[in-house]
Amino acid sequence: FFFVSSTGHQDRVWQAAWHPTKTLLATCSGDKTVRLWQPASHDNFSEWHCVETLEGAHKRTIRSVAWSPTGNEIATASFDATTGIWENDPRENDWECVATLEGHENEIKSVSWSSTGALLATCSRDKSVWIWEVEQDNDFECLSVLQEHTQDVKMVTWHPKLEILASASYDDTIKIWKEDDDDWYCADTLQGHTSTVWSLDFNAEGDQIVSASDDQTLRIWKMYKANNPQGVMTPNGDAAWKSICTLSGFHERCIYSVSWSKVNDRIASVSGDNSIRIFEKDMEREDPDAPVYKNLTTTTDAHGVYDINGVAWFPTEKHADWLSTVGDDGLVRIWRLVE
Amino acid sequence: MAQNLINANPTVYNTKTLIRKETEAELDDDIEDPIDAQEVFDLIRSISDPEHPLTLEQLNVTQFEHIQVDNQSSKILIEFTPTIPHCSMATLIGLCIRVRLLRSLPDRFKVDIRVRKGTHQSEGAVNKQLNDKERVAAALENNHLLEVVNQCLATASLRGTEVAAN
């Protein structure tokens, strides 16, 4: 496990997001900017530079940053209650804020693009989840305002293939949202965590979710479709999600972020206990309805004495062993998992 | 004005003249003084109450006995006692304590702040909010709230000394 460290942000860094294909990382911070980072050259990954700073569009902390599936747009979610849409001008390789989405009553905590790029989801301390349709010419239409969480919604993330959305909340639950004839509704509520759910991520297939909580555990949830052979009840014909594994006793403080590699199936989590942990399914004890995960490796004090807020695996085969982390120290770190 | 106060007539406690007796080791600059409960108490005891011209120590909101410091593992637990069980100022008081410690302690400390068990009717909700760093960060970007917090903290640097002078 080795790392490169990059400085530039002037405040705590909240989240990191990899470009869908390029070796380009976006990070967002309390300093109201998004920064884009790239290695010094195609064969020198030991030095990363800030190649672009997206600034001026938000008056407060940028809490979340997300790439569109093409990598040509970036969405930013801010405590100023707006979502910014940034577009890349390929001629100048310049980024410009081309739209600002308003509507949430207060801080926006997370933003996510659907797999096709046709939909955008945002969530807020106002307890709601909004679904936006991406139209021509940087026009966004709000399709639905979902208000079933009873508290602050911390994160939204789309299914890797389908138009299914998952949200995580301060109310300790995860909700699954689906569309039925233009109507979005809550298809399932996942209960089990005993405190705030901060983060979640689907596996590559989209039939499992990992969630990270202030209760210091990670949970793996599995989707059971109607008439499943295991006999899991599926009310209303919607698939039901069940907790099939709890990883406890590893992190000692709140787990702020989790990333499930779509390439090698490994799970990385980061915490207020200053550590990064990597988990891997134990293949010798394979039971699809009760998997066992082992802690492959742990890096303590990965950002010194500081909380780690975000973690993200590189999304493609090219650098599947790369991991980025961001922390309260304002640093962005790139790690490589060495076997 | 008085009828608008949450707790119009609080009990005022005689503050103990709990002042650190400096030992020879502490006066010696070559010996490191680990941060202990007394140091943390000194940092927060003279924070002003949001609605009374009194310190948290005078209102018995903070007590030396309810501070745990584990210097070795950089962990601090502070329990405070709202003046009344339905005090709507509890979150603000806790926020003042958090901000004071954020500004004064080394970054390595992980601080947990809680209402003392059984002293507030919404202790679960207050505790959860005070320990959610994202909500604390958002609160501190609110200029009005920050002003109120700063007002409460204006007296914090007295570290109990005005009591000693009496």
Side-chain angles (χ1 to χ4, degrees), chain A residues 3 5-9 11-13 27 37 302-304 306 325-333:
Chain A
F3 69 82
S5 200
S6 295
T7 54
H9 279 299
D11 199 321
R12 138 193 308 146
V13 191
T27 56
W37 308 86
H303 282 249
Y306 295 90
T325 59
V326 292
D328 271 1
D329 52 4
L331 295 184
V332 177
R333 290 191 154 169

Side-chain angles (χ1 to χ4, degrees), chain A residues 19-324:
Chain A
H19 185 282
T21 51
K22 298 179 190 167
T23 49
L24 183 62
L25 183 74
T27 56
C28 62
S29 160
D31 69 9
K32 311 178 186 71
T33 71
V34 164
R35 284 172 190 265
L36 304 185
W37 308 86
Q38 237 172 7
S41 70
H42 288 297
D43 49 8
N44 176 12
F45 300 133
S46 61
E47 247 179 274
W48 287 61
H49 300 299
C50 175
V51 291
E52 185 79 43
T53 304
L54 281 56
E55 58 191 336
H58 290 295
K59 294 184 193 73
R60 295 180 56 187
T61 285
I62 303 179
R63 175 64 183 88
S64 170
V65 58
W67 294 91
S68 68
T70 61
N72 293 330
E73 291 97 39
I74 286 175
T76 49
S78 169
F79 283 0
D80 71 10
T82 70
T83 305
I85 306 293
W86 306 72
E87 199 176 54
N88 181 246
D89 177 349
R91 287 161 306 177
E92 316 234 332
N93 194 24
D94 206 17
W95 289 86
E96 194 189 348
C97 184
V98 291
T100 303
L101 315 186
E102 295 177 2
H104 280 293
E105 281 172 35
N106 41 40
E107 294 96 284
I108 304 180
K109 300 295 179 71
S110 170
V111 60
S112 175
W113 298 83
S114 67
S115 61
T116 60
L119 300 170
L120 191 76
T122 55
C123 65
S124 159
R125 189 166 72 89
D126 68 13
K127 307 172 189 175
S128 69
V129 172
W130 290 44
I131 294 178
W132 307 79
E133 188 168 37
V134 183
E135 297 179 331
Q136 298 270 305
D137 302 323
N138 301 313
D139 221 15
F140 290 76
E141 190 197 347
C142 176
L143 293 180
S144 198
V145 175
L146 308 165
Q147 311 198 75
E148 289 188 40
H149 277 297
T150 59
Q151 293 288 344
D152 189 358
V153 190
K154 296 296 194 184
M155 185 168 171
V156 279
T157 194
W158 287 96
H159 187 283
K161 296 168 183 169
L162 306 172
E163 290 191 342
I164 293 175
L165 182 74
S167 60
S169 168
Y170 188 89
D171 70 13
D172 308 349
T173 72
I174 297 159
K175 286 184 184 283
I176 306 292
W177 308 91
K178 281 163 75 175
E179 189 200 348
D180 178 30
D181 205 16
D182 287 341
D183 250 353
W184 285 84
Y185 68 101
C186 176
D188 201 4
T189 299
L190 286 54
Q191 287 174 301
H193 280 298
T194 55
S195 189
T196 304
V197 189
W198 278 90
S199 176
L200 60 170
D201 200 7
F202 283 93
N203 65 345
E205 280 309 302
D207 60 347
Q208 292 186 28
I209 290 174
V210 61
S211 57
S213 167
D214 179 48
D215 69 14
Q216 305 173 10
T217 71
L218 295 166
R219 274 177 185 261
I220 314 263
W221 310 79
K222 183 175 173 176
M223 180 176 73
Y224 291 88
K225 290 183 179 162
N227 306 316
N228 59 80
Q230 294 89 346
V232 174
M233 298 283 280
T234 55
N236 313 322
D238 276 315
W241 292 78
K242 271 192 59 164
S243 175
I244 53 168
C245 177
T246 304
L247 283 75
S248 56
F250 294 103
H251 285 294
E252 289 165 18
R253 290 186 72 82
C254 179
I255 311 174
Y256 288 115
S257 179
V258 63
S259 177
W260 197 332
S261 170
K262 307 295 180 280
V263 183
N264 59 34
D265 211 29
R266 286 177 179 140
I267 292 170
S269 58
V270 292
S271 160
D273 68 8
N274 314 338
S275 73
I276 307 171
R277 286 184 181 269
I278 313 283
F279 297 93
E280 189 176 61
K281 205 191 286 177
D282 188 341
M283 290 308 188
E284 284 167 20
R285 289 189 278 177
E286 170 69 344
D287 175 349
D289 297 300
V292 175
Y293 280 79
K294 53 184 184 188
N295 188 195
L296 185 65
T297 180
T298 302
T299 301
T300 52
D301 300 330
H303 282 249
V305 299
Y306 295 90
D307 287 6
I308 311 172
N309 299 318
V311 60
W313 286 105
F314 195 89
T316 66
E317 288 276 0
K318 195 172 175 196
H319 300 295
D321 52 350
W322 283 12
L323 197 66
S324 67

Side-chain angles (χ1 to χ4, degrees), chain B residues 97-106 140 146 149-150 153:
Chain B
I97 295 174
R98 180 163 292 288
V99 174
R100 172 65 173 158
L101 296 179
L102 273 174
R103 290 177 183 170
S104 358
L105 287 173
L140 296 179
L146 189 61
V149 168
N150 282 336
L153 294 183

